[in-house]
Amino acid sequence: MASELCKTISEAKLERHKNLFLNYRNLHHFPLELLKDEGLQYLERLYMKRNSLTTLPENLAQKLPNLVELYLHSNNIVVVPEAIGSLVKLQFLDLSDNALEIVCPEIGRLRSLRHLRLANNQLKYLPAVFPLCIVEVGDLRELQTLDISTNRLITLPERLHMCLSLQYLTADRNHLWYVPRHLCQLPSLNELSMAGNRLAFLPLDLGRSRELQYVYVDNNIHLKGLPSYLYNKVIGCSGCGSPIQVSEVKLLSFSSGQLTVFLPAEVKSIGTETDRVLPLQELAMRTLYNTYYRFLKDLNFLTPISLPKSLLELLHCPLGHCHRCSQPMFTIVYPKLFPLRETPMAGLHQG
């Protein structure tokens, strides 16, 4: 394995490769061959995903001065050295699925950085001591994508609004309890995802920007309302679940006259009480919608006798669609957040 690694790196040096793939090499240390002599002066993209690295060399920028993209997904990196701030041409940095507890302030010196992925780490906070740190991100003027999902963050950077190019902000599955109002000032923000946090309220100005079109704030059990500006946006819900593959077992069904409707596969595949289960009412609505609308293109023959009037009206117009699997959603799209008196769900929701 070592000889093969040396051969790969030697060829990259000799042939002046711009891309180097070192994924799945079971590397515990950064290869010294990459750092010998002049290093790889022509290398622009380095892929080292799914290894066992714990840190990066201090002279990384010196040996790889033209690095544009660095992929370190799925390692065991605990600390990122300060020297990473010297990779002045770096545009894409992926440190997802590591063991990071602290982000070094020097990342704020990466003035060319466009995409930063820090998902699935152990980050409890983003340091706010130095003016060039990730929290004081005003210097990351080119940053377009920031993914800090699945960490332990309690707050977001107050000066995040200084990232004038930021388009996609993902902070799902943290411990966030509020959204900084300054985020409403981000001129280029198109998608904001903060599902699975502890949000209790949202800024009233959120959604005022025409650029912001997609907002995902589902699975925040304390959230009691949505700003009015969001009513004409795509309010996504990621909790509908993806289609489940089941073995070829005859699915459950019910019949009415000549019509037979098969129950969704989820009903058959529930295994334990901890499985994610949709309400039966929601499953039934989706099945009816798929059966009648997609195949027969006609809902008019359904009478209020076969379906309550409130549900019948709702069946004509789903309240939303899942942004992951495009399934229509009826009774689980923020039933407590929308003004129920103005929807077909009036009088239906029991919570």
Side-chain angles (χ1 to χ4, degrees):
M1 180 66 74
S3 59
E4 181 182 347
L5 178 64
C6 292
K7 181 180 178 181
T8 300
I9 296 176
S10 296
E11 288 181 357
K13 285 185 177 181
L14 184 62
E15 299 177 10
R16 297 182 175 182
H17 288 180
K18 292 186 177 182
N19 304 318
L20 181 58
F21 298 88
L22 299 179
N23 303 322
Y24 298 94
R25 298 280 185 149
N26 196 31
L27 298 174
H28 292 267
H29 305 284
F30 204 88
L32 294 177
E33 291 78 7
L34 278 175
L35 308 175
K36 286 182 179 179
D37 304 323
E38 295 181 352
L40 276 74
Q41 300 290 315
Y42 295 91
L43 193 66
E44 294 182 1
R45 299 172 186 85
L46 177 59
Y47 300 81
M48 299 188 71
K49 298 186 288 187
R50 297 195 179 277
N51 284 288
S52 298
L53 301 175
T54 56
T55 188
L56 300 175
E58 292 288 346
N59 59 345
L60 183 63
Q62 178 184 351
K63 299 299 182 179
L64 306 175
N66 291 302
L67 206 59
V68 175
E69 299 178 8
L70 179 57
Y71 298 88
L72 297 166
H73 183 286
S74 299
N75 278 277
N76 297 317
I77 298 174
V78 179
V79 177
V80 179
E82 298 178 0
I84 198 169
S86 299
L87 291 169
V88 294
K89 295 185 179 181
L90 197 65
Q91 296 181 14
F92 194 113
L93 176 59
D94 188 353
L95 285 164
S96 302
D97 287 283
N98 277 279
L100 293 176
E101 295 184 1
I102 298 176
V103 175
C104 67
E106 283 67 26
I107 282 186
R109 290 162 47 193
L110 299 175
R111 305 296 179 85
S112 300
L113 195 64
R114 296 182 180 179
H115 307 281
L116 176 59
R117 303 191 183 280
L118 299 170
N120 293 297
N121 279 285
Q122 306 295 322
L123 297 172
K124 295 181 179 179
Y125 64 92
L126 299 173
V129 179
F130 304 98
L132 295 178
C133 70
I134 182 64
V135 173
E136 305 294 337
V137 289
D139 292 299
L140 297 178
R141 297 299 177 95
E142 301 299 321
L143 192 66
Q144 299 175 10
T145 303
L146 176 60
D147 186 353
I148 49 177
S149 57
T150 315
N151 279 282
R152 302 176 182 178
L153 298 171
I154 298 176
T155 61
L156 287 179
E158 288 291 341
R159 291 189 61 195
L160 195 59
H161 67 285
M162 298 298 290
C163 290
L164 301 180
S165 300
L166 191 62
Q167 300 176 27
Y168 306 99
L169 173 59
T170 305
D172 299 340
R173 297 177 297 280
N174 278 281
H175 300 159
L176 301 171
W177 59 276
Y178 76 99
V179 179
R181 186 178 180 183
H182 296 308
L183 284 186
C184 304
Q185 302 174 17
L186 284 169
S188 303
L189 189 64
N190 177 260
E191 180 175 311
L192 173 65
S193 187
M194 298 184 68
N197 279 281
R198 300 174 180 177
L199 300 179
F201 61 91
L202 297 174
L204 295 179
D205 292 340
L206 188 63
R208 189 171 187 174
S209 168
R210 292 185 178 181
E211 292 298 321
L212 184 61
Q213 293 296 319
Y214 303 91
V215 178
Y216 307 117
V217 289
D218 52 295
N219 295 323
N220 284 278
I221 61 174
H222 302 295
L223 192 58
K224 301 303 181 183
L226 291 178
S228 58
Y229 288 112
L230 292 183
Y231 287 164
N232 61 346
K233 308 291 183 177
V234 178
I235 308 297
C237 178
S238 61
C240 76
S242 301
I244 299 177
Q245 300 295 328
V246 295
S247 57
E248 294 186 6
V249 180
K250 185 177 181 180
L251 296 178
L252 300 176
S253 65
F254 65 88
S255 301
S256 176
Q258 296 181 348
L259 178 66
T260 299
V261 178
F262 288 94
L263 296 180
E266 291 92 334
V267 176
K268 192 72 178 177
S269 62
I270 298 303
T272 69
E273 61 182 10
T274 59
D275 287 347
R276 195 184 193 104
V277 185
L278 286 172
L280 185 58
Q281 188 178 63
E282 176 70 18
L283 292 175
M285 292 291 289
R286 293 185 188 180
T287 300
L288 288 171
Y289 182 84
N290 292 334
T291 301
Y292 295 122
Y293 185 79
R294 293 188 179 181
F295 296 104
L296 302 179
K297 303 295 183 181
D298 185 10
L299 294 172
N300 293 326
F301 69 90
L302 276 178
T303 67
I305 298 176
S306 60
L307 202 62
K309 183 179 180 180
S310 58
L311 288 179
L312 184 59
E313 293 177 355
L314 188 60
L315 198 59
H316 282 272
C317 185
L319 292 181
H321 286 78
C322 173
H323 74 285
R324 292 184 177 178
C325 70
S326 298
Q327 281 271 8
M329 295 183 295
F330 299 92
T331 64
I332 64 170
V333 187
Y334 310 109
K336 294 183 180 181
L337 304 184
F338 286 99
L340 301 183
R341 292 186 299 275
E342 301 174 12
T343 74
M345 292 185 66
L348 173 67
H349 182 61
Q350 302 297 320

